[in-house]
Amino acid sequence: MSADMQVFLLPDLGEGLTEAELVNWLVAVGDEIRVDQPIAEVETAKSMVEVPSPYAGIVAELHGEAGQTLDVGKPLISVAPVGASVPAEPKAAALEEEVTEAPAASIAAETYRTEEKAGSGNVLIGYGTSGGGEARRTRPRKALGSSVAVPSAVAVAPDFAELALSRTRIPGKLSAVISPLVRKMARDHGVSLDALPGSGESGLVLRRDVEAAIGGAVRETAPAEVPAPAAAAADVEPSAGVRDARTGLPVASRTPVRGVRKAVAANMTRSRSEIPEATVWVDVDATALLEMRAELKKKDAHGTPGLLAFIARFVTAGLKKFPELNTRIVTTEDTAGGEMQEIVAFDGINLGFAAQTDRGLVVPSVRNAHLMSARELDAEIRRLTAVARDGKASPTELASGTFTLNNYGVFGVDGSAAIINYPEVAMLGVGRIIDKPWVVDGQLAVRKVTELTLAFDHRVCDGETAAGFLRYVADAIENPGTVLADL
């Protein structure tokens, strides 16, 4: 690889994400690109976003194919200076081969930097490069006191190589482990790294070694000298002829849990394990709200807010009266060095709402919702829903909520034992609106009735506060004209 070649690594995706699926290349080998030009579309556990290039020049190599899952810190694209000649076709694993041929110390150092410090200066997806800072150098630096660059293939002294590799070892263990992801995977599955044979350079323990030990996904073992590129995984992998060990039934398919589904699963698991939640619910007569909206539609058919926007307006007003439900619990260190929990309150409301997309359930949030009218809320909810369904929502739009409103009535159900959207402390669910018998002024009548369900974190408040908030929203739905006039 030329000394002037610049290699762009898949950047830190934020929110603790460590991998992304390459959906589509937006450039080809030989194309001339500019700084901040989108070069690829990738799907993370949050959304599908475009990756901008921090370099200008000629595309020399694309490291990956559509459908392949790439790890953060691994090569994404190689860029040569303008005017440089590049091969007509990309070499599938050119960079991987070169890295493999490098000394063990170089591999250890580079892997540690990219996996332990991923994102310290890389481009954040969707935001371009930093204003005035230069992109991080990836070519060899010049030796001190010399004008000659040190080639990447120059052998490193054996003692330094051993020292670098020894720093990757777990004390008292025989195997070398660099990646924190590998260590976490082994810990989570109860795999002892003691004497676990590593298939990487100098016995380095790789992810595939731990997966093999825990009986995970079956992968073909590639020679240690040339790591096999990740296969373009299909959403559903056929498993003909395989029987499940527990049930004895044939396995029809195996579907990898990844992307949005993987993020949802992790978030819901954490919510259930950490939050002592309680639930309160109430049936509400929504007839007056529907009648009011019908009257507004006669005057302005296209500018009338939807029902969810009206309820969102009532929710923001209710959270102002019951701010305990618009908080977050964090764990900090006390003066004695121990752990303590704090309830963090916010001066404002970012109202999240659940949106079903082709990639799964996501929760975009309306920022500063407490400052918006029902009409403004309606416009922002519609915009965010469209962005989320297109997979273009930014990490900020998907991860900044302080309270979630979930309209599961669109699925034809009345109620739900909702799981709180961690790290928030409460979620309000709205069921379908249907005709039900209802007593009005002592007389039985048919009314439009819905069920409101509030799941809340019992650590931040007691049932009285939760019931007070729920009753406030219910009263607002039953008497919308009076409440809206006071807002």
Side-chain angles (χ1 to χ4, degrees), residues 6 24 29 34 49 88 180-181 290 321 326 331 404 428 430 435:
Q6 294 173 304
N24 182 43
V29 172
R34 62 184 185 280
V49 291
L181 304 179
L290 291 172
K321 292 182 176 292
N326 188 52
T331 301
T404 295
L428 179 67
V430 183
D435 290 340

Side-chain angles (χ1 to χ4, degrees), residues 371-457:
L371 302 177
M372 298 184 181
S373 65
R375 197 180 302 274
E376 291 168 334
L377 285 167
D378 184 71
E380 186 65 0
I381 288 172
R382 292 179 187 274
R383 183 191 73 81
L384 287 170
T385 299
V387 169
R389 286 177 177 167
D390 289 340
K392 301 294 185 181
S394 69
T396 300
E397 290 171 329
L398 291 174
S400 60
T402 60
F403 183 96
T404 295
L405 176 60
N406 187 1
N407 179 24
Y408 43 71
V410 297
F411 301 115
V413 297
D414 299 326
S416 168
I419 300 177
I420 296 171
N421 185 25
Y422 184 91
E424 298 168 16
V425 299
M427 172 187 289
L428 179 67
V430 183
R432 59 177 178 164
I433 300 176
I434 59 174
D435 290 340
K436 279 189 176 182
W438 198 263
V439 176
V440 181
D441 298 329
Q443 300 294 320
L444 192 62
V446 176
R447 306 289 284 183
K448 300 292 185 181
V449 178
T450 186
E451 182 180 286
L452 301 181
T453 306
L454 177 69
F456 66 98
D457 187 334

Side-chain angles (χ1 to χ4, degrees), residues 363-374:
V363 185
S365 59
V366 179
R367 296 173 66 84
N368 295 312
H370 59 291
L371 302 177
M372 298 184 181
S373 65

Side-chain angles (χ1 to χ4, degrees), residues 206-293:
L206 304 177
R207 180 185 298 186
R208 61 171 176 258
D209 302 322
V210 178
E211 287 177 340
I214 63 178
V218 179
R219 298 185 180 183
E220 287 192 19
T221 303
E225 290 78 12
V226 185
D235 287 337
V236 178
E237 301 175 1
S239 302
V242 178
R243 288 188 174 274
D244 177 60
R246 187 180 73 85
T247 64
L249 296 174
V251 176
S253 64
R254 291 181 181 272
T255 304
V257 179
R258 61 185 184 187
V260 173
R261 175 54 52 195
K262 181 178 180 180
V264 170
N267 199 49
M268 296 300 98
T269 300
R270 187 170 186 181
S271 178
R272 275 290 196 229
S273 63
E274 293 187 17
I275 298 178
E277 65 185 36
T279 305
V280 290
W281 60 90
V282 65
D283 287 339
V284 182
D285 181 3
T287 306
L289 178 59
L290 291 172
E291 291 175 346
M292 183 193 74
R293 185 171 182 273

